[in-house]
Amino acid sequence: MKKILWWSIVVLIVAAMISAFSLSACKAAVEEAVEEVAEEVEEVAEEVEEAVTDGIFPDWDALADEEITIIINEWGDAEAPGMNAWWEETAQLYMDMHPNVIVEPLEIPIEDIQQAWMAAVAAGDPPSIQLMGRQEGIDAATAGDILPIEDFWTEDEVNHILPSARRELGWGGKLWLVPEYMDPWHMIYNKKIFTEAGLDPEAPPETWAEFMEMGDAIVAAGYIPMSNGWLDGYMSPWWMCLVALQSLDDPSDIHQATLGEQSFADPKHADWWNILVEATDKGFFNEDQASLDFISGIDLFSTGEVAMVMVVQPMVRQYVDILGEDVVGVMKTPMPDIQGDLAGTVPIPAMPLALAANADYPEVAADVLRFIHTADRVNALYAHSTAMQANDLFDPTLVTDPRDQLIAQWFLEAPGYCYNWHYTPQIEAVGYTLGGLIVTGEITAEEAGQMMDDAAEKWRDDNPEMVEIFRDIAEEWAMQ
Amino acid sequence: MGVKINQIKTFKRKKRFNIEAGFYVGPALIMIVVVFIYPVIEVFRESFLDIRKWPGTFIGLRNYKIVFTDRMFYLSLLHNIELLLIIPIIIFIALIVAVIMHEKIFGEKFYRSVIFIPYIVPLVAIGIAFSFFFQFRGGFNQILDLFGLDFLISDWLGNIRLALPVVAAAIVWRELGFAIILFVARLGSVSEDTVEASLIDGAGWWARFWRIYIPELTNVIEFYVIISIITMLSQIFGFIFVITNGGPANATWVSELYIYKQAFQFNHMGAAAVTAVVLMVITITLVFVSNRLRRRLGEGNE
C-alpha cells in the first residue's frame, strides 16, 4: 500500500512537472502565435488602407479566363434623349478594352425601375449597377444591398465628383452613389409668346409675384401662362424641388420636418402652395392639368400655346428643335414670397447609380463606373445627350449652346439640392396628391402642409428603426 | 380463411388502384399546391415579417397595425366596394342583350363576335384608349360638343368625383361581352316548347324575360356574380394603373394598387402581404355569403 501511494505521488509530481513545462511551452507558443497574428493583422490593415486610398481595381490577370457580365439598370432616354446612344458607345469601348467582359445597359421605364431592382434583389439576382434615388439608396444600404463606391475608387476619383453631388450621394462619411448624369432643374419660356403679350422676351419673371402680373397679359394674348400635369402625381415633387426648396435655408429644414422637429405646415414649408391656388383661380394654368400626367402636361409647351413650363436641362434641346432656336429661352424658377438661403439656387440632382452588393464581380462593376467618369466619357455624355456630368473633368468649352452655358453658369454659382431626396417615400406618396388636390380646390395650402405632417408622423410611428438611421444621416448632413 | 384471403386481395386491389389514381392526380395536385396553396401560405407568413432585408425578421402584428391605421387602406377598400356596385349594371345590360340575341335578331352571329371582342383586347390597350378618350381634350368631350351638349363637358379624369366612374365604364365595356356570351350560351338550352307555349298564351317580351329566361339563367347569374366579385376586388389593377395610376389625388386607389405601392414604392413587403391577406379574407367571405344567400333563396323557392 505504501509503495502504491509512493509511486502515485511520484507519478503525480512528474505529471505536474510535465504539464507545467508543456503549459509554459504552449504559453510561449501561444504568445508567439498571437504576436505573429498581430503582425499579420497589421500588415493586412496597412494593405487595406493602401487599397482604399489607391482604390480597388479588378485583377485582370486573375479574371482573364472568367466570363463577366455587368448588367446596368437605367432609364435610357427618359429624361435625356441621347443617353441610350452614349451607353451603347460606352459599353462597347469598355468591352473593347476587356474582351471577357460584357457590359449590358438595360433600359427600364421610370415607373418600373425601382420595382425591377427590388424583385431582382429578392430573387438573389440583382443587376451589377442600378439607377436609384438617394432615399432608395439609403434604404438599400441599410439592407446591405449596395456597396459604397468610395470603397473602390481612389480619393482622387471621388474628389472629381462635384461637391454638391458628393454631399447628396454620400452618407456615413462615404460616397455611396455615382452620378449617371446631372439634372439641372429649371424652367423654359416661349419668347414669341412673351413678345406677342407685350412682355420683354429677355426678361422672364424672377418671382411668382411677377409671374402673376405677367399672367393676365399672356392670357389676353390667347395663350396659357404655364402648363402642368397632376394626374400621376409626379408634378408635385417637381414643384417642391423647384419652388418649395427656395423658401428654405438648407435641406436640414426638410430633415427636421420629417423628424417632427419642424412642421410642414409652417409658412416657410407651406406658404408656397398658395401659388398654385392663386394661379389656378386666375386661369393661368391649362384647364386639363388635373387629368394629364406630368410629361403630357410639360409637353404642352411643344404645341406653342404655353408660355412657361418646368423642365430638366437635358429636355431643352427637343423643344428647341420643335419650336426654334430663337423661341425657347431658359429661366430660373421664380422665387416664392418667403425666401430662404436657397432662394435663387438651381437644383442639380445627379441621377445616382448604385453598386449592388450581391452581384458578381463588384470590383469590375465599380471599374465600369470609374470608366464612365473618365474625361472622355464625361465629355461624350454631353455630345450625345446635352446632359452634363457632375464631374469637374467636364470641359465647359464644349458647351456652345447659349442656353446650356447660362444653366452651367447658374449651377456653378448657386448649386441647389433636390427636395425630394431629403424626405421619405411615404411622405412623398402624400406629396404626390397635394398639387392635384389644391388645383381642384379640395384642400388649402395649410391643409397640404398638415397632410405632410401627418404622413411624417405615421412614417415615424411605423418605422422606428429607420427614424434613427434617418436622424444619424440628418445630423451628419447638418455638420457638413 | 378463404374470406380473409378474399378481403386481403380486395384491399390490395383497392390499394393498387388508389396509388394508381394518385399518379394521375399527383402532377395536377403538385401544381395546385405550388401555384395556389404555397403562395397563400407564404404571403400569410410574410405578413408577420419585416422584409426590408431579405429574408426578414418576425415582428408579430406590427404590419397589421400599420395597415389598419392607414387611411389609404380604407380608402382603397371603399373604392373596391364602390366598384362592386357596377356588377348589377353589367348583369342587367348583359341579360337584356343576351335575350334579344337569343330571340334571333338579324346578324346575330356577327353581333356575337363583335360583342366578345372587348373581352379579348389587351387590358392595357383598353386603358390607354379610355384615358385618351376621357381627357379634357379627348374624344368624349368633342362628341358632347358636336351634339350641343357642351354644358356636360368636364375634366373627367381630373375630377376626383368622376375619375372612378370613368374607370368603371372601362370595366363595364370590357366585362359586358363575357357576360353576354355566357348568358347566350345558357339560353341555348332553354326549352323552345316552353317559349312557344308562352307565346301562345300571349306572354309579351318582358313577361318572357322575367318569367322564363331569368329563372333559367339563375345558376349562371349566380356564377357570374361570384366571378365579378373576385374581379372587382382583385383583378382591376391594370385598369387603374394605366388609366389613372390612382389619381387624381388618390381618387382611384384600389386595394391592388395599395399592395403595389406598399411593396414597390415604400419597400414595405409586410404591409403589402397584410393587405393581400385581408383582400383574400374579404373575397372568400363575400363568395361564401353569396353562396349561402343562393342556397337560402333556392330553399325558399322550393
Side-chain angles (χ1 to χ4, degrees):
Chain A
M1 187 65 178
K2 273 191 182 175
K3 268 192 182 175
I4 292 171
L5 187 63
W6 167 246
W7 279 111
S8 301
I9 292 170
V10 167
V11 164
L12 275 171
I13 292 170
V14 168
M17 286 170 65
I18 292 171
S19 301
F21 178 76
S22 302
L23 279 172
S24 300
C26 281
K27 185 182 170 202
V30 163
E31 280 176 355
E32 201 178 311
V34 164
E35 213 172 294
E36 275 178 21
V37 166
E39 280 171 10
E40 279 177 33
V41 165
E42 204 177 312
E43 279 172 21
V44 167
E46 279 171 8
E47 281 173 28
V48 166
E49 197 180 325
E50 280 171 17
V52 167
T53 306
D54 297 341
I56 295 177
F57 293 80
D59 184 348
W60 292 113
D61 292 331
L63 295 172
D65 296 328
E66 304 280 335
E67 284 183 15
I68 300 166
T69 302
I70 302 296
I71 307 258
I72 305 168
N73 278 6
E74 41 84 27
W75 62 40
D77 287 358
E79 279 188 340
M83 284 300 297
N84 280 337
W86 176 79
W87 271 117
E88 205 178 306
E89 182 184 89
T90 301
Q92 191 57 56
L93 285 170
Y94 193 87
M95 290 190 286
D96 289 344
M97 290 193 308
H98 305 288
N100 62 324
V101 177
I102 296 172
V103 178
E104 206 175 304
L106 203 61
E107 184 183 357
I108 298 178
I110 291 179
E111 59 271 15
D112 296 332
I113 199 159
Q114 181 64 10
Q115 294 83 300
W117 160 255
M118 292 170 63
V121 167
D125 187 24
S128 309
I129 296 168
Q130 169 76 24
L131 185 69
M132 61 173 65
R134 179 176 188 269
Q135 192 58 46
E136 285 86 357
I138 292 172
D139 287 347
T142 307
D145 293 333
I146 63 171
L147 297 169
I149 193 63
E150 192 157 333
D151 283 355
F152 294 85
W153 283 12
T154 67
E155 196 176 334
D156 188 52
E157 286 164 348
V158 169
N159 287 337
H160 277 301
I161 305 296
L162 296 184
S164 59
R166 284 211 306 274
R167 199 176 173 203
E168 281 199 307
L169 303 186
W171 56 87
K174 287 188 181 180
L175 181 68
W176 278 79
L177 306 172
V178 174
E180 184 194 8
Y181 60 87
M182 199 159 54
D183 239 359
W185 226 329
H186 55 94
M187 288 177 65
I188 53 177
Y189 69 105
N190 188 315
K191 293 185 180 183
K192 184 164 157 286
I193 291 177
F194 267 56
T195 305
E196 288 185 30
L199 302 169
D200 183 352
E202 300 305 325
E206 292 182 0
T207 66
W208 286 102
E210 286 177 21
F211 170 88
M212 299 300 173
E213 287 166 11
M214 295 178 181
D216 285 325
I218 295 171
V219 168
Y223 297 100
I224 303 167
M226 187 173 174
S227 65
N228 298 297
W230 302 99
L231 183 67
D232 52 2
Y234 296 116
M235 201 82 233
S236 285
W238 276 52
W239 273 82
M240 288 183 199
C241 212
L242 284 157
V243 181
L245 192 75
Q246 298 193 69
S247 294
L248 308 179
D249 295 326
D250 186 86
S252 290
D253 289 328
I254 308 169
H255 303 155
Q256 288 172 25
T258 302
L259 292 167
E261 293 158 13
Q262 288 186 24
S263 170
F264 281 113
D266 283 345
K268 77 170 175 183
H269 284 286
D271 184 67
W272 70 274
W273 289 111
N274 285 310
I275 297 168
L276 297 182
V277 176
E278 188 179 350
T280 302
D281 287 346
K282 290 183 175 180
F284 290 168
F285 294 149
N286 48 314
E287 281 178 304
D288 52 355
Q289 59 177 333
S291 61
L292 292 181
D293 59 76
F294 93 107
I295 282 289
S296 300
I298 290 170
D299 240 11
L300 284 179
F301 186 82
S302 64
T303 64
E305 294 177 14
V306 174
M308 288 170 273
V309 78
M310 291 176 173
V311 291
V312 291
Q313 173 265 332
M315 293 165 85
V316 175
R317 172 49 49 184
Q318 63 188 325
Y319 294 119
V320 170
D321 291 341
I322 293 170
L323 295 173
E325 289 283 345
D326 297 333
V327 173
V328 179
V330 293
M331 54 184 276
K332 283 189 185 181
T333 309
M335 292 181 283
D337 291 342
I338 296 179
Q339 294 170 21
D341 292 344
L342 290 174
T345 60
V346 174
I348 49 164
M351 296 320 298
L353 295 167
L355 195 58
N358 297 317
D360 296 330
Y361 309 106
E363 72 280 16
V364 177
D367 196 54
V368 171
L369 291 173
R370 173 184 286 120
F371 181 65
I372 71 173
H373 276 268
T374 53
D376 170 69
R377 292 291 88 209
V378 160
N379 295 317
L381 180 73
Y382 183 77
H384 278 289
S385 67
T386 73
M388 293 178 240
Q389 186 55 281
N391 190 309
D392 62 14
L393 293 174
F394 175 63
D395 181 2
T397 63
L398 292 175
V399 181
T400 53
D401 186 308
R403 282 165 286 258
D404 286 347
Q405 285 174 344
L406 189 56
I407 295 165
Q409 184 188 329
W410 289 339
F411 72 69
L412 288 170
E413 286 171 359
Y417 300 99
C418 183
Y419 187 108
N420 39 317
W421 280 359
H422 293 276
Y423 54 24
T424 66
Q426 289 83 350
I427 298 172
E428 183 164 78
V430 168
Y432 278 178
T433 67
L434 298 180
L437 286 170
I438 285 181
V439 300
T440 52
E442 297 294 327
I443 61 171
T444 63
E446 293 71 30
E447 286 167 340
Q450 186 57 53
M451 286 173 70
M452 286 187 65
D453 266 346
D454 293 342
E457 187 181 347
K458 182 153 173 48
W459 172 77
R460 292 193 299 271
D461 287 342
D462 293 348
N463 302 275
E465 311 87 3
M466 291 306 293
V467 171
E468 290 316 306
I469 294 169
F470 190 95
R471 192 185 304 279
D472 290 340
I473 293 174
E475 282 172 1
E476 182 190 5
W477 177 280
M479 287 192 313
Q480 288 174 2
Chain B
M1 184 69 173
V3 171
K4 270 197 180 171
I5 290 171
N6 283 341
Q7 282 175 338
I8 289 167
K9 280 187 181 170
T10 305
F11 174 73
K12 279 188 178 169
R13 264 204 301 276
K14 278 189 184 168
K15 194 175 171 193
R16 265 205 305 276
F17 175 77
N18 286 338
I19 291 172
E20 209 175 303
F23 277 118
Y24 284 111
V25 171
L29 204 57
I30 290 168
M31 282 299 293
I32 288 170
V33 168
V34 168
V35 174
F36 291 107
I37 297 176
Y38 169 72
V40 170
I41 295 170
E42 182 61 19
V43 164
F44 188 66
R45 187 185 75 88
E46 287 178 8
S47 69
F48 299 103
L49 304 179
D50 179 355
I51 315 178
R52 239 179 291 265
K53 178 157 178 54
W54 206 261
T57 49
F58 180 75
I59 54 170
L61 295 174
R62 203 169 108 191
N63 287 330
Y64 285 84
K65 176 180 172 276
I66 289 168
V67 170
F68 290 146
T69 56
D70 189 353
R71 183 187 142 265
M72 282 309 302
F73 169 69
Y74 295 103
L75 186 66
S76 305
L77 269 184
L78 178 66
H79 293 151
N80 280 108
I81 291 168
E82 287 173 1
L83 286 172
L84 286 174
L85 298 175
I86 67 173
I87 295 175
I89 298 171
I90 296 174
I91 291 173
F92 184 71
I93 298 173
L95 283 170
I96 301 284
V97 174
V99 168
I100 292 171
M101 283 175 58
H102 172 69
E103 294 199 335
K104 303 289 188 264
I105 56 170
F106 178 74
E108 179 246 338
K109 283 188 180 157
F110 169 75
Y111 291 134
R112 273 200 202 203
S113 310
V114 165
I115 279 167
F116 199 63
I117 286 174
Y119 195 72
I120 58 174
V121 170
L123 207 148
V124 171
I126 297 172
I128 292 172
F130 268 76
S131 68
F132 276 115
F133 191 64
F134 282 97
Q135 277 181 6
F136 186 74
R137 300 174 190 215
F140 190 64
N141 281 342
Q142 289 180 22
I143 291 170
L144 289 174
D145 188 43
L146 193 65
F147 286 102
L149 298 171
D150 45 318
F151 60 93
L152 290 174
I153 287 174
S154 184
D155 192 2
W156 301 94
L157 291 176
N159 186 314
I160 62 170
R161 283 164 197 84
L162 297 176
L164 194 63
V166 168
V167 174
I171 297 171
V172 169
W173 189 82
R174 183 175 189 260
E175 296 295 319
L176 203 55
F178 178 69
I180 292 170
I181 296 301
L182 200 65
F183 297 154
V184 166
R186 176 65 184 91
L187 286 171
S189 55
V190 169
S191 165
E192 288 196 17
D193 294 339
T194 312
V195 177
E196 279 175 19
S198 71
L199 284 169
I200 291 167
D201 287 345
W205 192 91
W206 277 110
R208 291 198 305 279
F209 180 80
W210 288 110
R211 303 275 173 104
I212 299 174
Y213 295 125
I214 294 290
E216 289 287 339
L217 287 167
T218 304
N219 286 341
V220 178
I221 292 171
E222 286 160 3
F223 165 76
Y224 188 75
V225 166
I226 291 170
I227 296 293
S228 297
I229 288 172
I230 295 169
T231 300
M232 298 307 160
L233 288 175
S234 53
Q235 287 177 15
I236 52 169
F237 174 79
F239 290 103
I240 299 292
F241 191 75
V242 173
I243 299 176
T244 60
N245 197 15
N250 298 340
T252 56
W253 268 58
V254 292
S255 302
E256 289 169 279
L257 188 68
Y258 183 87
I259 292 170
Y260 175 84
K261 297 280 186 183
Q262 284 289 350
F264 297 115
Q265 189 170 346
F266 308 143
N267 194 18
H268 216 308
M269 294 292 185
V274 167
T275 312
V277 168
V278 170
L279 202 57
M280 182 181 68
V281 168
I282 292 173
T283 306
I284 291 171
T285 304
L286 283 175
V287 169
F288 177 73
V289 166
S290 172
N291 270 334
R292 292 279 290 196
L293 274 174
R294 179 180 64 85
R295 276 196 217 129
R296 280 205 184 158
L297 284 171
E299 284 162 13
N301 286 337
E302 284 162 15

